[in-house]
Every structure is written in C-alpha cells, then in structure tokens.
Amino acid sequence: MKMVISVLCLTLWPLTGFAVPGLEALTLTPAATGGGQTYTLSIQILLFMAALSLLPGALLMMTSFARVVIVLAILRQALGTQNTPSNQILVGLALFLTAFIMMPVFEKTYAVGVEPYLEEKISAETALAQAAVPVREFMLAQTRESDLSLFTRIGNYGDYTSVDEVPFSVLLPAFATSELKTGFQIGFLIFIPFLVIDLVVASVLMSMGMMMLSPLIISLPFKIMLFVLIDGWALVFGTLASSFLV
C-alpha cells in the first residue's frame, strides 16, 4: 500500500505546477463597489448551475403556474373531452399564460437586481436580495393571512410586526396552499354550468326510458357548443389573469 501511494504521489507531483491560480475551490476577493467580498468565478458558476436545477420547482411553486394549470385541468374534466386538449397543450397554455401574468414581476426583478449586477454596480448577494423583493411582493399579495398564520404557528415563529418580517420558509408553503385553494375555487365555479347540463340531459333520457344510453354522449356536444358560443377560452384566460391583479 505504501508503495502504491508513493507511486501516485510521484506521478501527480509534476501536475501541481500547472495549477491555475484563478480556479481555487473558494477564493474571496474585495468587491469593486459597495464593500464586502465576492466569490471567484468558478464558485459563481457553480452556484448558478445549482440555481438552474431549482428553476423548475420555482416556476411551479413561486409563480401563477399552479393555479392556471389546475383550472385548465378542471375545465377539461368539466367538458368531458377526455384527453382533449392533451396534457402537453395544457402545460404549454399554462406556461404562456404564466409568462404573461408574471411579466411585470420579471421586468421589475431584472431592473432592480439582474441589470445592476451585470453592469457590476452591485455584488451577487445584493443582486439576489434586491431581485427577490418583487417576487416576494407578488407572493404576499396572493397569500391568505390564514395560511400565513397556519405555517407560522406550525413553525413556532412567533408574531410579526409587518409582512416584511415573514421568512421565506413560511411564505413559500403558505403561497402554495393559497394557490391550491384559489385554483380549486375557480375550477368549482367553472364546473357548475357543465354539471347542470349533464343533469338536464340525464333527466331527459331517464324520462324517455333511454337508460342504456350514456348521458355523456348526448351532453358532450351541447357543452362544447355552449363553451364555444360564450367564447369560453377567452373568459377563462381573462378570469385567470384578472385574479392576480392586486
């Protein structure tokens, strides 16, 4: 074993002379502006790649995506069209509608956090803190106080003098819970008219003695016709977009 270690040391020793000084595992240098310290480029790239791996979760739970995709899924179930539109189309619609709803937040985040950092006016830590403010304001505006109180009580965080003191560990689950509630509430209101059509068609078929005929086969064309006549997609998308106005 000692011989193997010695051979490895002698083999790898010449490679130490080719080490690049700027690629240490962790290097702290004074920031150009605002004081403080900044990390070496390799560490910044590593942190950026780690943040990218968390991006899908952030897109799902920190934006309007969850509410939109829940409402669209319930709408498809209410229409009774099975897999039409398909899951891919529903997710695509939810993504584009989420981009439309969140665009003011994204623009504000870029203006206060990303742009100054790219211009080297602020450090990475300051940019992250400033960029989180618009997202935090959006989430607080859509979160119910009851949900905030619930997770505050579960986590034993105590009372807050203002909403600015709410930690992100409490805000995130409270926001997700509120979005689930709101999504199902909107979906319930959308489901009622289609349920009435199903009940009427089922009653008519029963009165005619056509018990062997599925009411869904008869009610489906009427539900699609009603949805098209009232311009249902525009109404649903407009309702979803306006539900995020503060």
Side-chain angles (χ1 to χ4, degrees):
M1 180 61 67
K2 292 182 179 180
M3 183 178 295
V4 174
I5 296 175
S6 301
V7 172
L8 288 175
C9 291
L10 292 174
T11 304
L12 297 177
W13 179 262
L15 298 179
T16 58
F18 298 97
V20 181
L23 296 179
E24 287 87 355
L26 179 60
T27 301
L28 293 176
T29 57
T33 58
Q37 293 176 325
T38 182
Y39 295 98
T40 186
L41 182 60
S42 58
I43 294 298
Q44 295 183 24
I45 294 176
L46 178 62
L47 295 176
F48 178 73
M49 297 302 294
L52 285 181
S53 65
L54 300 176
L55 185 60
L59 177 63
L60 292 176
M61 305 312 300
M62 295 174 60
T63 64
S64 59
F65 180 83
R67 183 190 303 187
V68 173
V69 77
I70 287 173
V71 172
L72 293 180
I74 294 178
L75 173 61
R76 184 178 64 179
Q77 186 71 23
L79 284 171
T81 54
Q82 301 300 325
N83 293 324
T84 305
S86 63
N87 292 331
Q88 292 84 353
I89 294 178
L90 287 185
V91 172
L93 289 173
L95 283 174
F96 284 112
L97 191 56
T98 298
F100 172 78
I101 295 171
M102 298 296 298
M103 189 56 63
V105 180
F106 293 155
E107 290 177 350
K108 193 173 181 179
T109 299
Y110 180 83
V112 301
V114 179
E115 188 175 9
Y117 174 71
L118 294 178
E119 296 176 355
E120 298 183 355
K121 295 180 179 179
I122 57 177
S123 63
E125 292 81 2
T126 305
L128 182 61
Q130 294 182 1
V133 173
V135 179
R136 180 184 176 87
E137 292 176 351
F138 170 81
M139 296 174 67
L140 283 172
Q142 305 301 325
T143 304
R144 293 178 171 85
E145 293 184 2
S146 59
D147 295 326
L148 282 175
S149 301
L150 171 64
F151 288 97
T152 299
R153 184 176 65 255
I154 294 176
N156 295 323
Y157 284 96
D159 298 329
Y160 308 118
T161 57
S162 65
V163 293
D164 296 333
E165 297 180 359
V166 177
F168 192 77
S169 58
V170 173
L171 179 58
L172 181 57
F175 172 77
T177 304
S178 296
E179 286 296 284
L180 290 175
K181 290 181 180 178
T182 306
F184 277 97
Q185 287 176 353
I186 298 175
F188 170 77
L189 296 177
I190 293 175
F191 207 108
I192 293 300
F194 300 105
L195 180 61
V196 172
I197 295 177
D198 288 333
L199 291 175
V200 171
V201 171
S203 300
V204 172
L205 291 178
M206 288 289 293
S207 62
M208 296 176 61
M210 305 175 66
M211 294 177 292
M212 300 301 294
L213 181 62
S214 175
L216 296 178
I217 299 177
I218 306 301
S219 63
L220 179 59
F222 291 99
K223 290 190 290 186
I224 294 178
M225 180 182 65
L226 174 65
F227 191 70
V228 172
L229 289 177
I230 64 174
D231 199 8
W233 289 113
L235 289 175
V236 171
F237 290 160
T239 301
L240 285 171
S242 61
S243 67
F244 289 94
L245 295 179
V246 295

